[in-house]
Amino acid sequence: VVDLWSLLPHFCVDPRDVKVGFPPLAAILAKAAGDKRYPQLLTIICSALKTLASGVKQRAEDEEAQIGGDERDDGQERDARGDLQALSEASTKLLPSLFRIVETLHGTDTSGGSKKAAGNSDGMEVEGADGEDGASEDDAHRVPAVAEAIGALATVCPAPFLSNLFKKVVQRLLVAT
């Protein structure tokens, strides 16, 4: 299963069908990234999201800069803008999922407290919260991959949504300190 998923980042290098293919895939990616049975998928999916976001944004910017030039036709320009719009809309669903994954990897609940310190009394199963040092170290190594995917998706996310999400993150940080 993981070997098959490991191909995903390669398919995200320069896709031309993001507008059609990505919206139904986004929910699957969010669910698979949080699948505790296959923790390796998280870094693979985050790498794919980072590659996809940076590539689609770059292609849209390149084609925007070339408007009026003869190198691109109108169909390709619309595809780049459509791909960027589709990814932007999907990012509003993916970013909250990725932030929840970061909270899980850090062992914090939604109120900002530590699940380990709270004895995991909320009944939620969290990978690595059972006190095993190896799982906690693995979780800590996954956080940078998720953070990079969040950063890449934030560059294509709608500004009002990103502003609202940022406010919520800051509020959670303030509550946690």
Side-chain angles (χ1 to χ4, degrees):
V1 171
V2 175
D3 289 340
L4 186 59
W5 275 93
S6 67
L7 297 173
L8 181 64
H10 303 288
F11 286 106
C12 293
V13 171
D14 192 22
R16 300 296 172 148
D17 63 345
V18 175
K19 182 170 58 174
V20 175
F22 192 72
L25 186 60
I28 295 168
L29 292 176
K31 188 174 181 177
D35 191 339
K36 293 179 180 130
R37 297 172 298 167
Y38 301 103
Q40 312 92 313
L41 293 183
L42 180 59
T43 54
I44 293 169
I45 291 169
C46 287
S47 173
L49 291 172
K50 178 182 170 189
T51 300
L52 182 66
S54 60
V56 167
K57 182 179 180 197
Q58 186 63 49
R59 189 163 50 97
E61 288 173 352
D62 289 350
E63 290 182 3
E64 185 70 29
Q66 293 177 353
I67 289 180
D70 294 330
E71 294 182 40
R72 304 277 185 190
D73 65 26
D74 289 337
Q76 286 179 314
E77 288 174 13
R78 279 195 301 272
D79 286 343
R81 286 187 217 134
D83 288 351
L84 184 60
Q85 181 62 33
L87 187 58
S88 178
E89 291 170 7
S91 71
T92 63
K93 294 169 183 65
L94 289 167
L95 283 170
S97 295
L98 291 173
F99 274 107
R100 281 191 294 275
I101 289 171
V102 169
E103 285 182 334
T104 300
L105 292 175
H106 277 297
T108 56
D109 62 21
T110 56
S111 66
S114 170
K115 285 184 179 178
K116 290 179 185 176
N120 207 8
S121 62
D122 61 2
M124 292 179 64
E125 262 185 63
V126 177
E127 179 184 353
D130 56 359
E132 293 180 16
D133 292 336
S136 296
E137 283 183 30
D138 287 345
D139 288 350
H141 291 299
R142 290 184 187 101
V143 172
V146 180
E148 288 176 7
I150 289 171
L153 286 173
T155 65
V156 299
C157 187
F161 176 83
L162 188 60
S163 176
N164 189 31
L165 185 63
F166 179 72
K167 288 176 187 175
K168 290 179 182 178
V169 169
V170 169
Q171 287 173 346
R172 286 186 178 190
L173 286 172
L174 290 174
V175 168
T177 57

